[in-house]
Amino acid sequence: MSEIPLPLYYKIQQDLIKKIEDNEFKSNCKIPSERDLMKKYEVSRTTIRKAIDNLVNDGYCYKVHGKGTFVQEKEFTNGLIELTSCSQDIIKRGKKPSAKVINFKKENPTKKIASKLNIKENSQVILLERVRYADKEPINITKSFIPFDLFPEIMEKDFSNKSLYNFLEENYGVEFIEAIRTIDVSQTDEVYSKLLEIEKDTPILFFTGLVKGRINDEIVPIEYFRSHFKSNKYKFYIRQVSNI
């Protein structure tokens, strides 16, 4: 059987991937310009742009407007069935976690949130919305909804450099039991694009979830959350074990 001829852009794309994986092009370093690549491979600008666009779409590179194309840093990975805090994930990868609080208040819950948290609609919840950083780079934005009656002291704390889960464990004796998460793909609006330092309408991972924990021998909903993750920074996996 004769081989199918590969398009020029694909051959260039694969060569650039090899250079990235061999660490010839290092993380967060700029790759050669379109003009330099055109000269090296002796092809048109259209061919080079096709190869670069594919590298960006596949998560190998990212573009900075007016500056060029850069090699994507190795992404975070997280098990979908693991129950860990964002801070723990960041620390495990040798980076320093931090956060910027952009919304922190008491409010009346919607019917959906009240139902998720198993509280009355005339109760109050704490809304804690934060941008989470790894070594000062934004990686996600999370809105947490927490029953105020269970944890009133939360309103007195600063969560810009404090783990919410650690605080609940240390101050309320919460034992985290399980989290039920759903995952979808969304796009950033103008506000979230600016906060995550990405272009508007960039595809991102959107999670919603409910975390349950044990307090005084009773398992209750602790947090309902909505999280937007940079899709070029996070990958999630499922570990499957054979029962055969």
Side-chain angles (χ1 to χ4, degrees):
M1 181 186 296
S2 60
E3 293 185 358
I4 299 175
L6 297 174
L8 278 175
Y9 76 83
Y10 183 80
K11 292 180 180 180
I12 295 169
Q13 175 187 333
Q14 295 306 304
D15 188 50
L16 293 174
I17 288 173
K18 185 176 186 303
K19 293 181 185 301
I20 292 170
E21 292 183 342
D22 287 343
N23 213 29
E24 184 176 337
F25 294 160
K26 300 184 184 300
S27 295
N28 293 318
C29 288
K30 184 179 177 181
I31 68 171
S33 67
E34 289 183 1
R35 184 179 296 276
D36 288 341
L37 292 173
M38 288 166 58
K39 184 176 180 180
K40 173 180 172 58
Y41 293 105
E42 299 181 345
V43 295
S44 68
R45 186 180 298 273
T46 300
T47 299
I48 291 298
R49 284 185 174 175
K50 177 71 172 176
I52 291 176
D53 285 345
N54 285 349
L55 291 177
V56 172
N57 292 335
D58 290 344
Y60 287 98
C61 294
Y62 63 95
K63 292 183 177 181
V64 178
H65 183 67
K67 294 184 178 181
T69 304
F70 296 77
V71 177
Q72 186 63 258
E73 186 179 12
K74 186 177 180 181
E75 71 278 351
F76 291 92
T77 58
N78 189 12
L80 282 171
I81 60 174
E82 295 176 351
L83 178 50
T84 58
S85 72
C86 182
S87 296
Q88 290 171 328
D89 290 335
I90 294 169
I91 291 171
K92 281 194 300 184
R93 286 152 184 84
K95 296 180 179 292
K96 182 179 178 181
S98 60
K100 178 182 179 181
V101 177
I102 56 177
N103 210 345
F104 192 25
K105 63 182 180 179
K106 287 190 297 182
E107 65 179 19
N108 294 324
T110 63
K111 289 183 179 181
K112 178 178 180 178
I113 292 173
S115 175
K116 293 286 186 181
L117 293 174
N118 195 25
I119 60 177
K120 296 178 180 179
E121 288 179 35
N122 59 0
S123 299
Q124 287 190 307
V125 295
I126 299 165
L127 166 60
L128 174 59
E129 184 175 14
R130 295 179 291 174
V131 184
R132 311 303 301 274
Y133 297 85
D135 285 352
K136 298 183 179 181
E137 180 181 2
I139 57 173
N140 76 59
I141 301 173
T142 297
K143 279 186 178 181
S144 296
F145 299 90
I146 306 152
F148 174 74
D149 289 344
L150 284 180
F151 311 112
E153 293 179 8
I154 285 181
M155 296 301 301
E156 302 171 10
K157 303 301 177 181
D158 176 10
F159 288 97
S160 57
N161 287 295
K162 184 186 293 292
S163 166
L164 173 63
Y165 286 11
N166 285 349
F167 172 79
L168 295 178
E169 287 176 334
E170 294 169 3
N171 292 271
Y172 290 93
V174 174
E175 178 188 356
F176 291 95
I177 302 298
E178 67 174 6
I180 301 171
R181 297 191 281 188
T182 61
I183 183 172
D184 203 345
V185 178
S186 182
Q187 290 181 314
T188 52
D189 58 16
E190 186 173 347
V191 174
Y192 272 22
S193 295
K194 186 175 181 179
L195 290 170
L196 289 173
E197 299 176 6
I198 55 179
E199 294 185 4
K200 185 176 179 292
D201 295 329
T202 297
I204 54 175
L205 299 174
F206 175 54
F207 280 85
T208 58
L210 180 67
V211 177
K212 293 184 179 181
R214 181 179 285 112
I215 306 177
N216 299 324
D217 296 325
E218 183 181 3
I219 297 177
V220 296
I222 300 295
E223 174 198 26
Y224 176 70
F225 65 84
R226 296 170 180 157
S227 295
H228 293 80
F229 283 82
K230 274 184 174 179
S231 56
N232 63 350
K233 283 296 177 184
Y234 253 92
K235 288 188 178 180
F236 292 84
Y237 64 88
I238 298 174
R239 180 174 180 266
Q240 296 178 308
V241 179
S242 173
N243 290 322
I244 299 175

